[in-house]
Amino acid sequence: MKFVSIIMGSKSDYEIMQNCSETLDKFNVKYEMIISSAHRSPQRTKDYVKEAEAKGSVAFIAAAGMAAHLAGAIAAATTKPVIGVPMKGGAMDGMDAMLSTVQMPSGMPVATVALGKAGAVNAAYLAMQILAIFDKELAAKLTEDRIVKEKAVALDSKEIEVIL
Ligand code: RP5
C-alpha cells in the first residue's frame, strides 16, 4: 500500500491542513494524518516516521509554525521526500516558520511550499506528482486537472474581460 503521510505540529494547524487532506481526497489518494510535534513529542514523531515508512508511506508532508522544526526533524529520520508547510502565526506571522522550514543544511532537503492555504494545497499536489512518477492513472488525473484549470482561466476572463 502506497500513501502520503501528513504530520502537523499542533491541533492549531489542522484548519489549514484540511486543505491538504481534502486535495488528496479529491484525487482518491490515500493518506495518514496525525498530530506530532518536533519539540513536544520528539519520540512519537520519530516512531511514526519509521512505522509509516515500513507500511508504505512515499512522502511526508510536515506542517509547523513558529520555530517550525518538524519538517527538518522528519527529514533527519527518513530519506523519503519531505514537504514542509510553514504555518502562519507567531511574532512574525509565519515568516519565521517559512525561513526555518526552507533553511535546511545541504544533503537534508525539505521542499518548502508557501504559507497558508496555497501551501497546504500545493503540498498535496507535490506529493501526488511524486506518486504519479510510477502511477499512470494518477499522472493522467493530474494532467486533466491542469486542463480544467486552464479552461477556468478563459471562462473567468470571459465574465469580466474588456478587449478593444
Ligand atoms: C508549532 O507551534 C505548531 O506547529 C504550531 O503551528 C505552533 C503553535 O502551536 P500551539 O501552541 O498552537 O499548539 O509547533
Side-chain angles (χ1 to χ4, degrees):
M1 177 182 48
K2 285 187 170 49
F3 64 93
V4 175
S5 292
I6 305 171
I7 310 171
M8 62 200 91
S10 166
K11 197 176 174 188
S12 61
D13 303 322
Y14 181 59
E15 197 182 329
I16 285 291
M17 289 312 290
Q18 271 180 295
N19 294 292
C20 181
S21 56
E22 283 166 13
T23 304
L24 295 172
D25 280 333
K26 238 170 61 181
F27 287 83
N28 280 322
V29 168
K30 286 195 185 70
Y31 60 86
E32 289 189 341
M33 180 160 61
I34 68 159
I35 296 169
S36 193
S37 165
H39 305 120
R40 293 169 177 154
S41 63
Q43 194 57 49
R44 172 178 158 78
T45 302
K46 210 173 167 184
D47 290 347
Y48 174 73
V49 172
K50 290 294 163 210
E51 281 159 26
E53 246 191 332
K55 280 197 299 186
S57 183
V58 290
F60 290 85
I61 295 173
M66 300 180 79
H69 292 144
L70 183 60
I74 292 169
T78 181
T79 53
K80 295 280 185 300
V82 179
I83 302 161
V85 190
M87 295 284 107
K88 286 190 174 209
M92 285 170 247
D93 204 21
M95 198 52 130
D96 40 9
M98 196 160 72
L99 292 174
S100 176
T101 307
V102 80
Q103 290 283 14
M104 288 295 289
S106 68
M108 306 297 296
V110 166
T112 306
V113 294
L115 278 167
K117 183 180 170 185
V121 170
N122 277 345
Y125 272 94
L126 189 49
M128 290 192 290
Q129 288 177 269
I130 292 165
L131 271 170
I133 294 170
F134 299 108
D135 182 338
K136 280 186 184 160
E137 204 181 308
L138 181 57
K141 281 188 199 172
L142 290 168
T143 302
E144 177 59 29
D145 182 69
R146 290 282 175 101
I147 294 165
V148 170
K149 281 184 166 59
E150 188 180 355
K151 283 182 182 158
V153 172
L155 288 173
D156 286 346
S157 181
K158 275 246 150 28
E159 287 177 18
I160 56 101
E161 71 191 13
V162 178
I163 292 175
L164 296 176

